[in-house]
Amino acid sequence: MSAEGVGAPLPRKEDDRLMRGRGLYVGDIRLPGLHDVAFVRSPLAHARIRAIHVPDHCRDRVFTAADLDGVLPIRAVSGLPGFKVSEQPVLATGKVRQVGELVAMCVAPTRAEAEDIAASIVLDLEELPAVHDMLAAREPGAALVHEHWGDNVFLETLVDVNIAAALDAPIRVSRTISTGRQCMAPIEGRGTVVQLDHRLDQLVVHTASQMPHIVRNGLSECLGLEQGRLRIVSPDVGGGFGYKAILLPEDVALCWLALRRGHPVRWLEDRREHLTANANCREHHYRITAYAERDGRLRGIDCEATVDSGAYSAYPFSACLEAAQVASILPGPYDFPAYRCRTWSVATNKCPILPYRGVARTGVCFALELVLDAVAREAGLPPEVVREKNLVRPDQMPFENITRKHFDSGDYPGALARALAAIDVAALRDRQRRGEADGRRIGLGLAIYCEQAAHGTSVYSGWGIPMVPGHEQACARLTPDGGLELRIGAHSHGQGLETTLAQVAHEILGVPVARTRLVHGDTAMTPYSTGSWGSRVMVMAGGAVAAACEDLRDRAVRIGAHLLQAKPEECRFAGGHVVGPTGDVPLEAIARTWYRRPQDLAPDTDPGGLEVTAGYKPVRDSGTFSYAAHAAVVAVDPDLGTVEILDYVVVEDGGTLVNPLVVDGQIFGGLAQGIGTALFEEMRFDGRGQPLASTFADYLLPGPAEVPMARIDHMETPSPYTRFGQKGIGEGGAIAPPAALTNAINDALAGLGVEMLHSPVTPHRIVEAVLAARAAPARARDAA
């Protein structure tokens, strides 16, 4: 490891401008003639549109679906057998299917004026029964979100691997486990600014997006424009987490408006829009049964899983992204011989469920890890023993699990052992037996997960969706003074790519990180990419940057050898210099020769010069498998329902860590979100499909006082398939906390006969469960 190369814990270079308020976000863009847009949104979850009444004085500034000639609805397609396509109109036609669905678009010189116009529009809606419960939505006679489907199921899947062999196991534990609907809540909401570049006859779309090239695909399809007429620019993005990984109907509407009006237009999402209309995720329901031997060894898992997908499938693909993965990833890091899982992706009158950090894995980890603790209680074993008996072992690597997931490397039992040692389980159990002076109860919770990341062509091609990753490309170019410019098609929304990709380049070329610039987020200037999702960028873009820099290094060696009057095979590259038999020449001199003194070049010099675009795929593109063991210690007040996190340990393995400091930041950030999932965050709906939170007074987020200073222990088991052995790790911190914390709460309250099976585990739910457990003996006496 060099001082700035792969493995160096460098502070993020982008933080200097971001912490000084010098970032450039969509909301910072100011253009001559810019007008603002406000949308009229449906106040009802399910209703027929009878009329839209627009006052005469603003008719020329209000647009409805009838005005959008030639604009096609958003269609997220899939080749998965049985998948039903939902057509999402850009502005509602016929009926509305969720609270917050776009009905009309209002434009004015300022946002305040646009909102005043929106407030003057009267909607005549015939309310229909709302499909608000995903389980009831599958029952006969349920109202239909999309009448022509005949039911409310986007997709049903089934995986069955010899489940019959497990049914006679001596231990059979069944639980019904569920997770609340959430909002992602990045600091920056969505936003779009569109202008028409008359010189290039091109729409320039500034949007806070994780995947600008995919947005261009979708806009081209909806607007009927060739892609050359669309340029997507993602500036700084203030948090994405998956929420900014889709095409927005607002994007399509603003593009149409800019073409129609000829001047720039802007829409910036406010927090009420974010919470009530746009940003839901993670509503899962599991009926899960674990079969095990008396010694804790698993015989099999049987599960029925339902995911509330909302009214539409967002482009490129969202409705089945969670449920369709549940069946394949539910086994997690455990090795057992029998398995069955049936899943349903259900349409309801709620906003579309969107990918959120840890897509599907947070719910899967929650269900599996809670039921493993239940197995441990039934077997009379410590929960860590049940896990030790069933985890994939390092000597099995590479390992094909029961759903044919290919684990590339790792030591899962080793991670668990290190977490247990850090917590000091014996001392903790002794403290539990002594009890707390203040009457609170102490509990220990464990959770282990694995995360398939950096999925490649072989994984996504079978889904038949409009987003299949191929070779990731990167461009590397030396500047005339020896600096380095990198261009990638993925985009950073907090991962520190301006630093970490510069470290990859430094590893190969020796150019100082401070002299390396990353260009990304602009379809006009970067190679095509499916973008930033699935913890893929460090594997894929990191590999592509390495490939481009290696090609650039080889070209530099040939030029440097000529300057040294040596043969290329007599020279080598080291520390930013070409070293020959009689001396060396730095990259700066090589760059200066190519750009400014071409007369000094050899006649047969490669005419491609010092700019290279190269592509990369891992040796095996089925994904890397990162993982972690989380251990949480909590104190629970059974009378107040409050939970204090006393200690939290994360032992993670992301393969070779390009920058451990950046990884720490990712883990801490994910942990904060996982704590929110576990204890605070829930978007509830009433029986009419109305969201019950519209501000952060109603939707609770954890703050600094609720997030402990976790202890992070890095393991590094390199992947055998990637350029440096790195694995995707950006989502990991958010996956395990709900399971670890809920298991800790259940451990604390076990003596009271309480078991929590729904997240978030709020004080109200804890008190309710404790009171019910205390009343149970009295009810039993009365019954007797």
Side-chain angles (χ1 to χ4, degrees), residues 488-615:
I488 63 165
H491 191 53
S492 178
H493 50 278
Q495 306 97 311
L497 299 183
E498 294 174 33
T499 302
T500 53
L501 291 178
Q503 289 181 251
V504 169
H506 177 84
E507 184 76 16
I508 295 164
L509 291 174
V511 176
V513 167
R515 296 202 63 200
T516 300
R517 302 287 184 271
L518 179 67
V519 177
H520 58 325
D522 188 337
T523 59
M525 303 176 68
T526 62
Y528 182 87
S529 172
T530 53
S532 300
W533 53 273
S535 297
R536 69 186 298 272
V537 178
M538 206 61 243
V539 172
M540 304 301 290
V545 165
C549 288
E550 285 166 345
D551 287 353
L552 196 57
R553 177 196 60 198
D554 293 343
R555 293 186 183 188
V557 167
R558 289 193 291 272
I559 295 173
H562 177 73
L563 296 178
L564 292 169
Q565 298 183 22
K567 296 178 181 179
E569 57 270 22
E570 296 176 325
C571 299
R572 60 186 175 86
F573 193 91
H577 291 67
V578 174
V579 182
T582 60
D584 65 88
V585 58
L587 271 182
E588 291 89 339
I590 293 169
R592 184 168 58 250
T593 301
W594 168 259
Y595 288 106
R596 305 184 67 177
R597 295 189 58 82
Q599 66 271 25
D600 294 338
L601 295 170
D604 61 349
T605 298
D606 187 335
L610 297 179
E611 179 171 344
V612 174
T613 297

Side-chain angles (χ1 to χ4, degrees), residues 282 357-359 361-363 365-366 449-451 630 670 674 731-739:
R282 282 187 180 166
R357 194 174 194 171
V359 182
R361 290 162 183 81
T362 303
C365 179
F366 187 69
Y449 72 89
C450 58
E451 182 195 359
H630 287 222
E731 299 168 83
I735 294 172

Side-chain angles (χ1 to χ4, degrees), residues 375-699:
V375 167
R377 288 191 291 273
E378 181 69 19
L381 296 169
E384 58 269 26
V385 171
V386 171
R387 288 171 173 81
E388 289 164 353
K389 287 180 178 292
N390 293 288
L391 285 169
V392 177
R393 303 184 311 276
D395 59 85
Q396 294 175 277
M397 298 295 174
F399 174 73
E400 295 271 349
N401 81 346
I402 198 165
T403 58
R404 303 200 63 79
K405 295 293 184 185
H406 184 86
F407 290 40
D408 51 352
S409 65
D411 183 357
Y412 293 80
L416 174 62
R418 287 165 72 154
L420 294 170
I423 287 290
D424 191 350
V425 176
L428 179 69
R429 295 304 185 195
D430 183 60
R431 177 179 175 179
Q432 273 186 316
R433 285 189 289 271
R434 293 197 311 268
E436 300 296 302
D438 59 6
R440 295 190 299 172
R441 290 172 172 261
I442 303 299
L444 167 65
L446 302 172
I448 305 174
Y449 72 89
C450 58
E451 182 195 359
Q452 184 182 13
H455 313 65
T457 307
S458 62
V459 176
Y460 268 63
S461 58
W463 292 14
I465 61 174
M467 190 187 79
V468 179
H471 279 83
E472 193 77 9
Q473 290 184 309
C475 174
R477 177 171 67 187
L478 280 179
T479 61
D481 62 353
L484 182 65
E485 294 177 357
L486 302 174
R487 298 173 188 269
I488 63 165
H491 191 53
S492 178
H493 50 278
Q495 306 97 311
L497 299 183
E498 294 174 33
T499 302
T500 53
L501 291 178
Q503 289 181 251
V504 169
H506 177 84
E507 184 76 16
I508 295 164
L509 291 174
V511 176
V513 167
R515 296 202 63 200
T516 300
R517 302 287 184 271
L518 179 67
V519 177
H520 58 325
D522 188 337
T523 59
M525 303 176 68
T526 62
Y528 182 87
S529 172
T530 53
S532 300
W533 53 273
S535 297
R536 69 186 298 272
V537 178
M538 206 61 243
V539 172
M540 304 301 290
V545 165
C549 288
E550 285 166 345
D551 287 353
L552 196 57
R553 177 196 60 198
D554 293 343
R555 293 186 183 188
V557 167
R558 289 193 291 272
I559 295 173
H562 177 73
L563 296 178
L564 292 169
Q565 298 183 22
K567 296 178 181 179
E569 57 270 22
E570 296 176 325
C571 299
R572 60 186 175 86
F573 193 91
H577 291 67
V578 174
V579 182
T582 60
D584 65 88
V585 58
L587 271 182
E588 291 89 339
I590 293 169
R592 184 168 58 250
T593 301
W594 168 259
Y595 288 106
R596 305 184 67 177
R597 295 189 58 82
Q599 66 271 25
D600 294 338
L601 295 170
D604 61 349
T605 298
D606 187 335
L610 297 179
E611 179 171 344
V612 174
T613 297
Y616 172 79
K617 266 189 178 185
V619 174
R620 181 184 176 110
D621 75 348
S622 57
T624 63
F625 274 77
S626 54
Y627 60 94
H630 287 222
V633 179
V634 302
V636 184
D637 187 320
D639 298 314
L640 299 177
T642 56
V643 176
E644 181 184 359
I645 303 173
L646 302 178
D647 195 7
Y648 203 102
V649 171
V650 178
V651 181
E652 60 77 24
D653 188 344
T656 301
L657 303 184
V658 174
N659 185 321
L661 194 61
V662 168
V663 171
D664 282 351
Q666 293 289 297
I667 299 299
F668 280 123
L671 173 61
Q673 290 174 306
I675 290 171
T677 301
L679 303 177
F680 299 99
E681 299 183 45
E682 185 170 26
M683 175 57 77
R684 302 178 69 187
F685 289 76
D686 68 13
R688 296 173 64 192
Q690 290 289 330
L692 298 180
S694 60
T695 71
F696 284 149
D698 308 305
Y699 186 86

Side-chain angles (χ1 to χ4, degrees), residues 261-321:
R261 304 276 294 205
H263 59 68
V265 291
R266 173 179 63 183
W267 167 73
L268 298 177
E269 178 185 69
D270 65 29
R271 193 57 68 176
R272 179 180 171 83
E273 288 178 299
H274 173 83
L275 289 170
T276 62
N278 290 338
N280 284 187
C281 60
R282 282 187 180 166
E283 188 171 4
H284 292 202
H285 182 277
Y286 299 87
R287 293 189 178 101
I288 184 169
T289 300
Y291 300 92
E293 306 291 355
R294 282 291 170 192
D295 66 358
R297 293 184 185 276
L298 286 174
R299 287 266 295 273
I301 297 287
D302 194 3
C303 182
E304 291 186 348
T306 306
V307 173
D308 189 326
S309 297
Y312 301 104
S313 185
Y315 184 97
F317 183 66
S318 75
C320 307
L321 192 59

